[in-house]
Amino acid sequence: MNRTPLTLLAALTAAGLLTLSACGGDPLAEDTTGSGGTGGGGGDTIVIGSQAYYSNEIIAEAYAQALEAAGESVDRQYQIGQREVYLPEIEAGEIDLFPEYSGPLLQYWESDTPARQGEEVYSALQEAMPDGLRALAQAPATDQDSYVVTREFAEQHDLTTIADLAEVDEDLTLGANSEAENRPNGPQGIKEAYGIDVGFSPIEDSGGPLTVKALEDGDIQLAIVYTADPSITENDLVVLEDPEGLFLTSQVVPIAGENVSEDAAAVVDEVSAALTTEALRDLNARSVTDELPSSTIAGDWLTEEGLL
């Protein structure tokens, strides 16, 4: 990403053409060059990016509003795209702060990592980070594939983890997009990790309404749905815990560059500490169902959490 406003400010200052007025309403009136700004990061503007993914933008906006409330200057550069596009920008120092996901990001830098779960993934990610970048405290929230069942089915068979499925005395069928049949978390994967035989039913809506209906109708007993999908709460589905790490952990983790001071990092860490999977589902629902902008969703949540 470019830093056009900063470049323009520096050029005008050098030319002696810029007169600043603290009460003139000029959007360039705040000093963001580090020579006297009021932000906790030494006055430098923190450039915050996001993926082209509504949930990721909401998280980025939560960082932005919390930092602004702490006196930081921020530059929002959202909806950038996927990792192949934005990670080179982060590594080059053009983006200072970005909400990421621990497991997939680790695999980007270390494709053959054996790490699969929680702290193990986070520790490996910290070691894999390029010079000049650091992973701030990860949030409890995950946004990853998971096995889900209906509440009725979970209570009927006393299910908490995937391993508990071994005690179910009826045939099990997994529903998911067709490509999942041959992926590591498909029927062969659950057989290898947990010793459980399941059939497979292709349902091409990525855990959407057709998948939920198949679960509720009993056509399938198990489905792959993202943990932060609002449909889990809306339909009272149960996410089964994965003690063997069949699904790579994907916790929300902020990636920060050298322009993010320790004071600014502490603000972001407070946001992360409050961000649970359940909270992320609720935030996503306000985007998907209520169609509210990320600024409203993030601001309301931060206020509720006492972070604004």
Side-chain angles (χ1 to χ4, degrees):
M1 296 296 102
N2 62 58
R3 300 195 188 205
T4 303
L6 297 179
T7 303
L8 175 60
L9 178 55
L12 290 174
T13 301
L17 296 177
L18 182 64
T19 37
L20 301 176
S21 169
C23 58
D26 187 337
L28 295 179
E30 182 180 356
D31 182 359
T32 60
T33 65
S35 60
T38 58
D44 289 338
T45 294
I46 298 174
V47 179
I48 304 176
S50 86
Q51 294 178 356
Y53 171 38
Y54 70 94
S55 181
N56 194 257
E57 181 181 316
I58 293 169
I59 300 168
E61 180 62 19
Y63 298 165
Q65 291 190 30
L67 286 167
E68 286 176 327
E72 299 283 354
S73 173
V74 304
D75 175 10
R76 295 163 172 80
Q77 298 194 16
Y78 297 161
Q79 296 289 318
I80 296 173
Q82 299 308 309
R83 287 185 184 89
E84 292 74 16
V85 176
Y86 63 74
L87 274 180
E89 304 261 3
I90 296 173
E91 292 177 8
E94 297 296 326
I95 300 172
D96 302 312
L97 183 64
F98 206 103
E100 255 289 1
Y101 305 93
S102 58
L105 181 59
L106 172 60
Q107 286 187 320
Y108 179 90
W109 282 314
E110 191 179 316
S111 60
D112 59 349
T113 179
R116 299 297 300 171
Q117 294 178 291
E119 290 302 319
E120 177 187 36
V121 170
Y122 181 63
S123 178
L125 174 62
Q126 290 175 306
E127 293 180 6
M129 300 283 284
D131 291 343
L133 297 181
R134 67 194 192 279
L136 303 186
Q138 63 181 352
T142 64
D143 197 349
Q144 65 185 62
D145 282 331
S146 68
Y147 286 146
V148 304
V149 297
T150 63
R151 176 73 59 186
E152 179 183 5
F153 192 78
E155 292 178 350
Q156 178 184 353
H157 297 283
D158 195 23
L159 302 179
T160 302
T161 74
I162 298 171
D164 295 335
L165 290 168
E167 303 301 320
V168 176
D169 58 355
E170 62 181 86
D171 291 340
L172 297 171
T173 300
L174 169 66
N177 286 359
S178 55
E179 61 266 22
E181 184 172 11
N182 298 308
R183 286 188 172 175
N185 51 26
Q188 187 59 35
I190 194 172
K191 174 68 173 178
E192 293 175 357
Y194 290 97
I196 299 169
D197 291 305
V198 300
F200 185 80
S201 177
I203 307 175
E204 308 294 349
D205 73 338
S206 302
L210 295 177
T211 300
V212 173
K213 186 176 189 305
L215 276 171
E216 293 176 339
D217 290 348
D219 297 331
I220 61 174
Q221 291 70 47
L222 191 64
I224 296 178
V225 179
Y226 269 92
T227 53
D229 193 315
S231 69
I232 291 177
T233 300
E234 291 168 2
N235 298 284
D236 196 25
L237 303 178
V238 174
V239 175
L240 298 180
E241 297 173 17
D242 179 21
E244 297 299 322
L246 183 58
F247 295 99
L248 178 65
T249 292
S250 180
Q251 286 180 249
V252 176
V253 58
I255 303 306
E258 294 177 340
N259 193 42
V260 178
S261 71
E262 290 306 314
D263 286 346
V267 171
V268 177
D269 285 347
E270 287 186 353
V271 174
S272 293
L275 187 62
T276 64
T277 303
E278 292 76 17
L280 187 55
R281 282 182 205 144
D282 291 342
L283 296 176
N284 290 344
R286 298 196 74 197
S287 178
V288 173
T289 305
D290 301 337
E291 299 183 353
L292 294 171
S294 62
S295 57
T296 300
I297 298 169
D300 289 349
W301 177 70
L302 289 170
T303 300
E304 291 170 4
E305 293 295 325
L307 296 172
L308 276 187

